[in-house]
Amino acid sequence: MSEGVITNIQRFSIHDGPGIRTTVFLKGCNLRCFWCHNPETLGPKPEIQFFPERCIACGACFRVCPVGAHVMVDDVHIFQRELCTGCGLCAENCFSEALVLVGEVKTHEQVIVEVLRDKAFYETSGGGVTLSGGEPLLQLEFSYDILQGCREAGVQTAIETAAHFPWERIAAILPVVDIVMMDIKVMDSEQHRACTGVPNERILANALKLGQQPQPLLVRTPVIPGINDTKEEIGKIAAFVSQLPNLMYYELLPFHPMATSKYDSLDVDYRARDIKRPTKELMDELTEHANTFGIRARHN
């Protein structure tokens, strides 16, 4: 029985593949996209989110923390994150939910039980389960076991990956995957490194290999103002994905500025704090341009 760390199991999801889906968010990622809207999934281990505006200064966390990570200074609750071990005792005893543990260890069987609760909805909508994150392939055995169990139960399986791995690691998961979803963010490798912390040669090479597999491939691009929100940039990506024989469709995802409080709660700098959501008119224009490359493009 394999175990892994997840942050959330989201039921009735409609944006992570076809039909009604249950999306399992796994913790840990090997990219650092500065616009990421799930910063709680980046680190591999459970950690504490602190929302000081919710704190009622009841003192419960001070009493239970085994390492003294919580202190009061001039009547202000200070969370010393560098001391925290992620045990979660403070969150368990926080009545106001000022302290929240993100990251929970579960067995693959526990996850499968949760996914199967909505099997009837998958069957009527053409949906299923999607593993997202974070990066599911960082927890390869755990991800494989979840998908294998869901498949054996008759549930369609999908995985969202950045594909920044040796091909052998990606190939290992494919036998239990029905649909593959991956991001292509920008085509220029140096720009990709500046935005995500890694170059993209391996990602693009893996995309070409995934394009030859029997599983349908869904390619997505997060549209980030100032980075790739032009016809020129989207056109480069659309031209590339038009080479992929098994392309299901190409999806443009508008950046949304909704993660600020998450970053603040984790004491992480949010470089996209002042970026605005692209307008519907721009998204329509970019999608229409992508369609001129002979592919089926859409945006949400």
Side-chain angles (χ1 to χ4, degrees), residues 9-241:
I9 298 178
Q10 180 177 301
R11 301 170 66 198
F12 297 97
S13 174
I14 57 172
H15 296 300
D16 294 312
I20 296 173
R21 312 192 72 80
T22 292
T23 304
V24 182
F25 292 89
L26 282 74
K27 209 167 183 325
C29 188
N30 57 347
L31 271 65
R32 288 297 182 269
C33 307
F34 76 81
W35 57 78
C36 179
H37 61 273
N38 290 326
E40 72 280 10
T41 69
L42 297 179
K45 298 178 181 179
E47 57 190 321
I48 294 292
Q49 289 181 291
F50 177 41
F51 300 91
E53 68 278 6
R54 301 178 187 172
C55 181
I56 59 175
C58 67
C61 58
F62 298 87
R63 291 189 291 272
V64 299
C65 180
V67 295
H70 301 276
V71 297
M72 191 71 75
V73 178
D74 296 329
D75 296 325
V76 176
H77 180 176
I78 304 297
F79 174 40
Q80 302 176 105
R81 186 174 296 279
E82 68 279 6
L83 299 178
C84 182
T85 61
C87 71
L89 284 173
C90 61
E92 288 178 19
N93 289 273
C94 183
F95 309 112
S96 62
E97 296 186 344
L99 297 163
V100 177
L101 180 68
V102 286
E104 182 179 6
V105 177
K106 283 187 176 289
T107 68
H108 76 275
E109 291 183 344
Q110 288 175 313
V111 175
I112 292 169
V113 167
E114 186 72 17
V115 169
L116 293 183
R117 290 175 60 188
D118 293 322
K119 186 179 179 183
F121 295 102
Y122 312 146
E123 293 171 346
T124 57
S125 69
V129 62
T130 298
L131 298 192
S132 185
E135 171 55 71
L137 293 185
L138 283 177
Q139 301 186 58
L140 181 59
E141 181 182 2
F142 182 55
S143 295
Y144 187 99
D145 289 346
I146 293 171
L147 297 178
Q148 183 181 48
C150 288
R151 253 193 162 196
E152 290 173 352
V155 174
Q156 181 200 84
T157 61
I159 190 167
E160 291 186 296
T161 177
H164 184 58
F165 294 98
W167 171 250
E168 293 74 19
R169 192 172 189 87
I170 298 172
I173 200 80
L174 292 181
V176 293
V177 174
D178 295 313
I179 299 172
V180 177
M181 291 179 271
M182 70 171 294
D183 280 4
I184 296 180
K185 307 170 198 304
V186 294
M187 291 299 294
D188 181 80
S189 187
E190 284 307 308
Q191 185 184 17
H192 194 277
R193 185 194 296 272
C195 292
T196 71
V198 302
N200 70 354
E201 286 86 357
R202 173 183 280 176
I203 293 169
L204 296 180
N206 284 334
L208 292 174
K209 291 178 180 178
L210 285 168
Q212 300 293 327
Q213 304 306 309
Q215 294 89 349
L217 178 63
L218 195 169
V219 176
R220 313 171 97 182
T221 296
V223 177
I224 314 299
I227 301 298
N228 59 4
D229 61 334
T230 64
K231 286 184 177 181
E232 179 182 5
E233 292 300 325
I234 296 302
K236 291 176 183 177
I237 301 173
F240 177 84
V241 303

